[in-house]
């Protein structure tokens, strides 16, 4: 009994003076907790200082990012920065990457980052290619090489059919879409009969489309409009309906209706050439105004050949229109002949059928044609506005 009381007395004597009445177990726990808290605070402060001094983080950003990081010395983060520097990354590239993904500073670069470098290098990517890819989208380093990067690479490669094209696609688009959704949506298009070539074009031009979680709805809408999934126009229509907002779509329809098209004519033109809805409203207005007001032709002609909206206004429409108007005025071309055909031909065919074949006027026609092309060259150099094209074509 006495020994027990003595022991308890000794315990109280050794208890820190700030907690004289607390049991030994609680006192030690609180002391350890205080010590741990101080240690974490020091670590937190070190991380903040490191981010500010070594990576150029603003103080507020460093404070926020430090909550994701735990390191007490500079050994590990220094190894990450050295890893990137040794592989040709500029200081600005490294800072940009780390600011986007500060968690990288807590990783062992040789275990987690190097294997991904080795994979891309094995597929023909250069060090500068990888630098561009990771600067644009450093989050790819967080993805599993075996479960994400390699399967996604192999899927893209199936459609593009070369390492070079696949690397180019990945670099340009930085694989920003979800792997799971991409696999599902590619399978969806295959099941609907969309050809590999169309899928390849979509992967190159708009890979984010494959990250959509409601692609099925749009696919069904496009098919409901009468587009054949096996034709290239299906993919273009899908792209148009998926990427053009309702407000923009309605704006373009209203512009076309202003020039005398009906809703049905707009739909028919879209079925013929779905690129029509990917052309800007300004371009549609420009072509219509030139065709109707400057050339004096019927706006409905363009509904029968909506491909024209996708051609260069300056390099194709204006030079060829000047030649065509001369031929019509001189009676060298029938007014009943199609006005659309001359604009849809390759340049070599156009010059053969509408310039060189008229021996007496060939030199003048060629001069007229080249003058308009040279005018476009001058416009590009001087920044001359489109309105300067609305001059007499004689």
């Amino acid at each position: 009994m006495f020994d027990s009381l003595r022991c308890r007395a000794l315990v109280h004597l050794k208890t820190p003076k700030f907690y004289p009445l607390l049991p030994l177990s609680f006192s030690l726990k609180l002391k350890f907790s205080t010590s741990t808290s101080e240690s974490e605070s020091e670590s937190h402060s070190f991380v903040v200082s490191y981010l500010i001094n070594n990576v150029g983080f603003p103080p507020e950003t460093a404070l926020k990012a430090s909550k994701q990081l735990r390191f007490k010395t500079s050994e590990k983060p220094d190894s990450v920065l050295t890893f990137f520097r040794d592989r040709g990354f500029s200081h600005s590239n490294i800072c940009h990457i780390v600011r986007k993904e500060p968690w990288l500073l807590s990783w062992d670069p040789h275990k987690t980052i190097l294997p991904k470098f080795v994979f891309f290098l094995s597929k023909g990517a250069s060090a500068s290619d990888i630098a561009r890819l990771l600067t644009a989208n450093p989050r790819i380093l967080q993805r599993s090489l075996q479960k994400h990067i390699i399967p996604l690479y192999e899927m893209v490669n199936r459609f593009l059919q070369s390492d070079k094209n696949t690397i180019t696609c990945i670099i340009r688009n930085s694989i920003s879409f979800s792997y799971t959704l991409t696999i599902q949506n590619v399978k969806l298009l295959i099941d609907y009969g969309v050809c590999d070539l169309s899928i390849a074009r979509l992967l190159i031009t708009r890979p984010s489309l494959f990250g959509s979680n409601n692609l099925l709805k749009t696919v069904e809408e496009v098919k409901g409009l009468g587009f054949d999934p096996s034709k290239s126009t299906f993919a273009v229509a899908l792209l148009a309906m998926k990427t053009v907002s309702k407000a923009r779509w309605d704006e373009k329809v209203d512009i076309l209706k202003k020039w005398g098209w009906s809703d049905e004519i707009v739909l028919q033109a879209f079925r013929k050439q779905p690129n029509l809805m990917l052309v800007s409203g300004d371009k549609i207005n420009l072509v219509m105004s030139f065709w109707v007001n400057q050339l004096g032709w019927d706006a409905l002609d363009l509904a029968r050949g909506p491909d024209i909206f996708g051609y260069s206004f300056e390099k194709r429409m204006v030079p060829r229109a000047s030649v065509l108007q001369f031929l019509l005025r001189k009676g060298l071309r029938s007014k009943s002949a199609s006005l659309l055909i001359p604009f849809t031909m390759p340049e070599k065919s156009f010059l053969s059928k509408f310039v060189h074949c008229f021996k007496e006027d060939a030199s003048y026609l060629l001069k007229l044609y080249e003058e308009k092309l040279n005018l476009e060259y001058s416009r590009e150099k001087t920044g001359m506005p489109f309105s300067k094209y609305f001059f007499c074509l004689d």
Side-chain angles (χ1 to χ4, degrees):
M1 180 71 176
F2 174 80
D3 289 339
S4 175
L5 290 171
R6 185 171 179 271
C7 287
R8 290 178 65 184
L10 289 173
V11 166
H12 280 295
L13 287 173
K14 293 181 179 181
T15 301
K17 63 180 181 179
F18 294 107
Y19 319 111
L21 300 178
L22 297 177
L24 175 62
S25 60
F26 190 84
S27 175
L28 292 175
K29 182 177 180 181
L30 184 56
K31 185 176 181 179
F32 176 77
S33 175
T34 303
S35 175
T36 302
S37 177
E38 289 174 355
S39 176
E40 288 181 352
S41 178
E42 290 175 4
S43 174
H44 182 73
S45 177
F46 179 81
V47 171
V48 172
S49 298
Y50 187 92
L51 294 176
I52 293 172
N53 297 328
N54 293 276
V55 197
F57 273 50
E60 290 184 3
T61 307
L63 188 61
K64 183 178 179 180
S66 67
K67 296 175 183 178
Q68 306 175 41
L69 301 169
R70 292 288 183 273
F71 51 81
K72 296 181 180 180
T73 70
S74 65
E75 182 180 357
K76 185 171 286 186
D78 280 352
S79 70
V80 174
L81 300 184
T82 300
F83 178 89
F84 285 117
R85 276 196 297 268
D86 289 348
R87 282 155 184 79
F89 285 67
S90 68
H91 179 69
S92 62
N93 287 153
I94 296 171
C95 291
H96 183 78
I97 289 170
V98 175
R99 285 177 189 175
K100 278 191 171 183
E101 306 297 336
W103 49 265
L104 283 168
L105 294 177
S106 295
W107 282 20
D108 181 336
H110 294 280
K111 287 184 178 179
T112 58
I113 304 176
L114 180 59
K116 292 156 190 175
F117 268 75
V118 172
F119 173 74
F120 284 118
L121 288 171
S122 72
K123 298 301 180 181
S126 65
S128 60
D129 287 336
I130 299 174
R132 289 206 313 276
L133 169 64
L134 298 185
T135 302
N137 184 23
R139 185 161 294 184
I140 191 174
L141 291 173
Q142 196 175 22
R143 305 293 189 183
S144 164
L145 178 62
Q146 298 298 328
K147 296 179 180 179
H148 181 97
I149 295 174
I150 292 177
L152 189 56
Y153 184 94
E154 290 176 345
M155 185 211 70
V156 174
N157 187 257
R158 170 199 160 173
F159 296 101
L160 303 190
Q161 299 184 351
S162 81
D163 286 332
K164 181 179 179 180
N165 291 339
T166 302
I167 284 291
T168 300
C169 176
I170 290 173
I171 297 298
R172 285 178 179 173
N173 302 297
S174 70
I175 319 181
S176 58
F177 38 72
S178 162
Y179 168 70
T180 303
L181 279 174
T182 299
I183 295 298
Q184 290 175 353
N185 285 328
V186 167
K187 187 177 184 303
L188 167 68
L189 296 183
I190 292 172
D191 290 345
Y192 264 79
V194 178
C195 64
D196 283 8
L197 182 58
S198 291
I199 294 175
R201 286 174 177 168
L202 289 174
L203 282 169
I204 293 171
T205 58
R206 193 59 66 96
S208 58
L209 181 142
F210 291 92
S212 171
N213 56 14
N214 61 348
L215 187 62
L216 175 60
K217 178 183 176 183
T218 311
V219 167
E220 290 178 339
E221 288 176 350
V222 173
K223 192 172 182 181
L225 289 174
F227 287 94
D228 182 349
S230 66
K231 306 294 185 183
S232 61
T233 51
F234 185 92
V236 180
L238 178 65
L239 181 63
M241 294 187 69
K242 191 66 184 171
T243 59
V244 179
S245 68
K246 185 179 184 305
R248 291 286 186 187
W249 189 284
D250 291 344
E251 176 190 357
K252 293 173 186 180
V253 171
D254 289 342
I255 290 172
L256 291 167
K257 289 170 73 173
K258 182 187 76 173
W259 291 100
W261 291 21
S262 65
D263 287 319
E264 182 59 31
I265 290 174
V266 172
L267 182 57
Q268 289 173 1
F270 177 65
R271 286 190 183 121
K272 285 183 179 180
Q273 181 47 269
N275 262 317
L276 174 64
M277 285 302 173
L278 292 171
V279 176
S280 72
D282 288 342
K283 174 72 176 292
I284 292 173
N285 247 333
L286 179 68
V287 171
M288 280 291 196
S289 183
F290 182 74
W291 190 269
V292 176
N293 296 333
Q294 184 69 18
L295 302 177
W297 298 340
D298 190 344
L300 293 180
D301 290 335
L302 294 176
R304 292 184 283 273
D307 300 64
I308 286 181
F309 289 99
Y311 297 141
S312 169
F313 176 76
E314 309 93 324
K315 296 177 182 178
R316 179 172 292 212
M317 286 202 69
V318 171
R320 296 191 185 191
S322 64
V323 170
L324 198 57
Q325 283 223 311
F326 176 85
L327 295 177
L328 289 169
R329 190 169 57 250
K330 292 260 305 189
L332 298 174
R333 181 170 174 80
S334 172
K335 292 183 179 180
S336 62
S338 171
L339 295 171
L340 300 172
I341 292 176
F343 295 96
T344 61
M345 292 178 169
E347 184 176 45
K348 186 176 180 180
S349 298
F350 173 80
L351 291 175
S352 174
K353 293 187 177 182
F354 293 93
V355 175
H356 298 315
C357 65
F358 299 101
K359 298 190 181 297
E360 292 184 5
D361 299 291
S363 60
Y364 174 78
L365 286 170
L366 185 60
K367 180 183 177 183
L368 184 64
Y369 179 75
E370 290 178 343
E371 278 180 353
K372 299 302 181 288
L373 287 177
N374 290 335
L375 181 65
E376 159 54 14
Y377 177 79
S378 298
R379 190 198 71 80
E380 289 179 344
K381 291 293 185 181
T382 62
M384 182 175 69
F386 282 141
S387 59
K388 294 294 183 182
Y389 277 116
F390 289 76
F391 55 85
C392 181
L393 293 175
D394 293 353

